[in-house]
Amino acid sequence: WALTGNADVRADGKKLGRKDIIHSAANMTEDQLGNGPSKANIASVALQGTLNGERFEIKRKMAHGKSEAHSLKFTVGTQDFTRSSVKDTQSEIDSLLPTKVLSDAVFHGQHLVSGLLDKTDRDFKIALDNIIPTEVWTKSMEQARENRKLSKSQIEQLNGRILEKKGELEPYERSIQQAINESQRWEEMREGNCSEIRRQLDAVRHTIQNEDLEIKSCRTAKESADVAVSKEQEDLDQCLDDMADQRRSAEELRFRAEEACNVARVNESAAQSNLSLVRAKIAEVARVRETLQALVQRKVWLQEQGQEWKTKQQTAAAEASEGIDNALASVHYAREMFNAKVKTLEERRNALGALRNESELNYDQAAARAAASDRALLSANQRAQEYLELSHDPTCRLCLQPIEKHEHAKHLKDLQEEVAALEAAVEQALKDRDHTSKERAGARQALDNLSTEASEELGQLREKVGQKEQDLRRAQAARKAVEQEVNPSVVPLKTVLVEEQKCRDELQTLFSDLRSSSTEFQGESFVQDLLDTAEKQAKMCRTKLDEALSNQQDVIANSEAQAKDWDRKLQEARDKLSSAQEKAAIAHARFQQAEEKATELSTLSQSIDKEMSKENPHQAQLAAINASLSASRQRLGELEEEVKVAEEELQVWQQLDDLFGRRGLQSFVYEVAVLDLQRQAAGFLQQLSDDALRLEISLEEQVVDRTILVRMSDGSYQRRSLHQLSGGQWRRLSLALSLAFSMTSLQRTNTKSSLIVLDEVMQHLDSEGCARVARLLEELIAGDTTCFKTALVILQTKVGEELGDTFDSVDVVVKKDDSSFVQTVAGKVY
């Protein structure tokens, strides 16, 4: 009462209140009070002790009337912890003193001493919590769980950043692929240009080789032809000088014939020169026409290739569009399947959740019914035992009236029938509780299985949706790549068109030169006509020259017979000179053509060198993107390493959570405390029952297993339940466990009390049992293993008379005229 404001509980389990404590004092007179307080409606109590070496005192006063007279004072040393209200002062006491431990360890009431033995597992563990310091483990577990949450949050953040980085890598990779494609297209374009230039180079070289237009050989031929013409001209001049003296005499006669021959000869030479020039130009026209025909054929081929590429491009674009449509349809279908599955699983989860809630409610109701039946059965057993004990007394101990045997036996039979009915009800309630427990476990398992199944199926569907979306992105990228492709025939076709135009311009220039030399011929066949005309003129001039020479020879045949040889030599020299001149003209033409081919060859070589010396403009962009991509990948690797470290930390915190949790170190601490409690109880039970009873206590997770063993006549031990024990066995077990819990709680909380109070704890014990309890109390008081120095024991009159010599002093509670008072050995009355 001093520590908590509450006293012993009543038989119905309710605590005694303020009115129950001082209900009889209000109506007592001064004579009845004797040396009691001056005011009969006030009760007070004082408790003293030490706290960490400092003396403390608690004073509590309660009144029967209004609450203004209630007071509570609490001092420790020189410091006063009394607050403005009783409630606040009680909070100070509870915070500094182990009030619950002291109350349970020091005071053992008649209705409390059996409580620890038949407590539920939950209440038993609550009682252990009061004496086991688990705050450090609980705080460590909470800290580990908080750090685990932080680690999970950090991992989620890092995974989000990793996904973001991976998302950044995709544009880089696409940019790199695009730059590579652009670079490859540029390289292919340059290679195409170089190939075209090489083809032209090969064509020019082929022409030079086939037509023998090497500039060195042509220059040598030209110089040789010029030397031959000079030599022939010198020979002709020498011949003419030799003939001059001999032919002077016939000069006049041959003057006319010679003049005619000279005219014919000049005309014939001009015709031959004109014929050579026409032939050279016609050969050039043929060459240009051949080149033009080759360019036209290549143009046609490139146009066909371009058209074929366009057809393939259109087909590829159509296929890519069809692939995108199919991928979109697949994505929509996969998402619809995912949403439908989510809806179905949600409906199943709601149904199973309702079933689980119903099973939970049924289990709670069954457990409540079982507990109520158990309490009712215990109360009925107690009442039956009391009535059974009253059968040996002639008068009632409570009302002091005579007991009628017939009514008492009938009432006892009714109580026994009630006990039997309650035992059947308890058994049925336990069966209902077990059945509902199985239903609850099945509902929970079904819900857990559904969660696992839902997680797996939704994970598979998400993966399928991701695959379909990835297929869609690939199809879109393929169509974009097709749209960005460039016709590879465009650039070569432009080059061919330029070359074709050059050839046509050159051909037009040659035709213009040929037309300017003769305006008589027109049309497409004017070249051949011009050649035929030149050949006819040359033949005609030759014929005229032959006629003139024949006439001249006829004229001078008789007069210059001797000059025939000179004429023949002169004609041969002239023929040689003409032939040398024709060869020289051809050599000059071929040399000019060789110079043109050499110039063209040099130009093409410079063009290909220029193409090869160009730098790829996409290489710098590709290098920059590669550098950014490398940096992003390096950061991604760092983030993945951070995730790995965080996951290791999370595993450590999870292990610490398990270690500091209920199934870790706390379980070990509880097991040690239970073993200590069992050891203490075994010692007390040895003294109380002479080893006829044994109690084994074990703690497995949340279940407290209390095993009771009873010694049989052959010395063996058999297991018994609480309901199979007699009243005396029950009382011995309860008292031993209560005393053991008191010793354990005081030792573990470092608390000491010189006083222990036992209120009618010897009920249902025979004389031997009471004597064993008395000897045990004497050893507790006299021994050095406990802190108790005084034991206050409330006994019934008969037991008190039997054990009166055991105690140092005996006070007597006397009932008289519906009231009671206490008479001490010293003669004082309260």
Side-chain angles (χ1 to χ4, degrees), residues 410-525:
K410 181 180 179 182
H411 191 56
L412 181 61
K413 182 179 180 181
D414 293 339
L415 284 176
Q416 289 174 348
E417 291 177 354
E418 181 183 355
V419 168
L422 287 174
E423 286 178 349
V426 167
E427 183 177 0
Q428 183 62 35
L430 290 175
K431 290 181 180 179
D432 295 342
R433 186 186 65 182
D434 295 339
H435 178 69
T436 54
S437 176
K438 292 180 180 178
E439 289 182 348
R440 180 182 63 176
R444 288 178 177 175
Q445 184 63 36
L447 191 58
D448 293 339
N449 293 338
L450 178 61
S451 299
T452 303
E453 179 184 354
S455 177
E456 294 177 354
E457 292 183 358
L458 290 180
Q460 294 175 357
L461 288 175
R462 286 193 186 96
E463 183 177 359
K464 186 175 182 181
V465 171
Q467 292 176 355
K468 296 300 182 182
E469 291 177 349
Q470 187 175 5
D471 294 340
L472 176 59
R473 288 193 293 271
R474 284 199 294 266
Q476 290 174 346
R479 184 176 67 181
K480 185 176 181 181
V482 169
E483 291 174 352
Q484 291 178 350
E485 287 185 1
V486 180
N487 194 334
S489 303
V490 173
V491 175
L493 184 59
K494 289 181 179 180
T495 304
V496 169
L497 291 174
V498 172
E499 295 297 329
E500 181 185 2
Q501 187 61 38
K502 288 182 179 179
C503 288
R504 292 186 183 278
D505 293 342
E506 184 178 359
L507 189 61
Q508 188 65 30
T509 302
L510 292 173
F511 283 163
S512 299
D513 292 341
L514 290 174
R515 286 193 179 96
S516 64
S517 62
S518 176
T519 58
E520 180 179 357
F521 304 104
Q522 299 296 331
E524 293 294 331
S525 62

Side-chain angles (χ1 to χ4, degrees), residues 28 47 63 93 186 213 284 295 323 375 417 674 797 800 811:
M28 294 178 66
L47 176 68
I93 294 174
W186 188 89
L213 294 179
E284 185 67 19
L295 290 174
R375 289 195 298 271
E417 291 177 354
V674 168
T797 303
D811 298 333

Side-chain angles (χ1 to χ4, degrees), residues 619-632:
Q619 290 296 328
Q621 180 185 2
L622 184 60
I625 297 174
N626 275 326
S628 302
L629 180 60
S630 299
S632 297

Side-chain angles (χ1 to χ4, degrees), residues 540-700:
M540 186 182 296
C541 290
R542 184 64 183 177
T543 302
K544 290 181 179 181
L545 178 59
D546 291 340
E547 291 177 354
L549 289 174
S550 179
N551 291 332
Q552 184 184 23
Q553 289 176 0
D554 290 342
V555 172
I556 63 173
N558 295 324
S559 59
E560 295 183 353
Q562 296 178 356
K564 289 182 180 180
D565 293 333
W566 293 102
D567 290 337
R568 180 178 54 78
K569 292 180 181 180
L570 182 60
Q571 187 61 37
E572 290 178 356
R574 288 174 178 172
D575 292 339
K576 289 181 180 180
L577 179 59
S578 178
S579 177
Q581 288 175 347
E582 290 177 0
K583 291 180 179 180
I586 294 173
H588 278 279
R590 288 179 60 82
F591 178 71
Q592 184 179 2
Q593 187 178 1
E595 285 183 339
E596 293 174 355
K597 292 296 180 183
T599 302
E600 183 179 0
L601 190 63
S602 176
T603 303
L604 291 175
S605 298
Q606 292 176 359
S607 298
I608 195 170
D609 292 338
K610 184 177 180 181
E611 285 292 330
M612 295 302 294
S613 63
K614 290 181 180 179
E615 292 184 359
N616 193 332
H618 303 284
Q619 290 296 328
Q621 180 185 2
L622 184 60
I625 297 174
N626 275 326
S628 302
L629 180 60
S630 299
S632 297
R633 285 177 175 170
Q634 182 179 0
R635 181 53 183 162
L636 179 60
E638 295 174 354
L639 291 175
E640 290 176 347
E641 187 65 24
E642 292 179 7
V643 168
K644 184 177 179 181
V645 173
E647 288 177 347
E648 293 176 354
E649 292 180 355
L650 176 61
Q651 186 177 4
V652 171
W653 292 124
Q654 180 64 46
Q655 293 175 353
L656 289 176
D657 185 11
D658 297 337
L659 181 63
F660 294 134
R662 287 286 186 181
R663 299 182 180 181
L665 288 173
Q666 294 190 41
S667 176
F668 174 75
V669 172
Y670 278 106
E671 290 175 0
V672 172
V674 168
L675 290 175
D676 190 14
L677 180 62
Q678 178 181 336
R679 180 182 59 79
Q680 297 272 12
F684 291 133
L685 195 58
Q686 169 73 23
Q687 294 177 282
L688 292 176
S689 67
D690 192 20
D691 203 22
L693 294 174
R694 290 183 180 179
L695 176 63
E696 296 179 357
I697 307 174
S698 63
L699 181 64
E700 296 181 1

Side-chain angles (χ1 to χ4, degrees), residues 123 135 212 288 330 357 404 478 582 647 656 687 698 765 785 821:
D123 293 338
E135 293 83 1
D212 194 17
V288 173
S330 299
N357 295 335
E404 186 177 352
E582 290 177 0
E647 288 177 347
L656 289 176
Q687 294 177 282
S698 63
L765 293 178
T785 58
F821 58 91

Side-chain angles (χ1 to χ4, degrees), residues 342-360:
V342 169
K343 184 177 180 181
T344 303
L345 291 175
E346 189 64 29
E347 292 175 355
R348 291 179 61 190
R349 182 183 296 169
N350 293 335
L352 289 177
L355 181 60
R356 184 194 64 182
N357 295 335
E358 182 180 357
S359 63
E360 292 281 356

